[in-house]
Amino acid sequence: MSRLVKSEMARFEQERIEDVKKSLESLLDGMITRQKEAIQAREAFQQMLLKKIPGPGSKGSTVTSAV
């Protein structure tokens, strides 16, 4: 009986280890995906801002040069 209990406990422990590994992989994959999405959103926002801000020498520039 005790051999059966020991083998069941060993199997149970192995299953727990595999479940934790799968859960951790899933968590990390989700975090990586969300980080990539955040980077893309920040880059898109930066591009939008750069389009709205006139560069030097453009017609809409409010900077005047003193000659």
Side-chain angles (χ1 to χ4, degrees):
M1 182 80 171
S2 72
R3 235 182 291 158
L4 179 62
V5 170
K6 286 180 182 179
S7 68
E8 277 299 307
M9 287 301 294
R11 183 189 60 80
F12 176 74
E13 287 294 321
Q14 188 60 36
E15 286 180 2
R16 277 186 50 207
I17 291 169
E18 290 171 8
D19 286 344
V20 168
K21 282 182 182 178
K22 287 178 186 176
S23 296
L24 188 57
E25 283 180 14
S26 177
L27 172 70
L28 292 175
D29 285 342
M31 290 174 71
I32 290 170
T33 300
R34 285 186 293 281
Q35 188 65 32
K36 286 179 181 178
E37 291 170 355
I39 290 169
Q40 289 173 347
R42 278 187 239 125
E43 288 174 347
F45 181 68
Q46 182 182 18
Q47 290 301 318
M48 181 194 65
L49 289 178
L50 290 174
K51 287 179 183 176
K52 291 187 180 237
I53 299 173
S58 65
K59 290 184 178 181
S61 179
T62 57
V63 176
T64 58
S65 60
V67 180

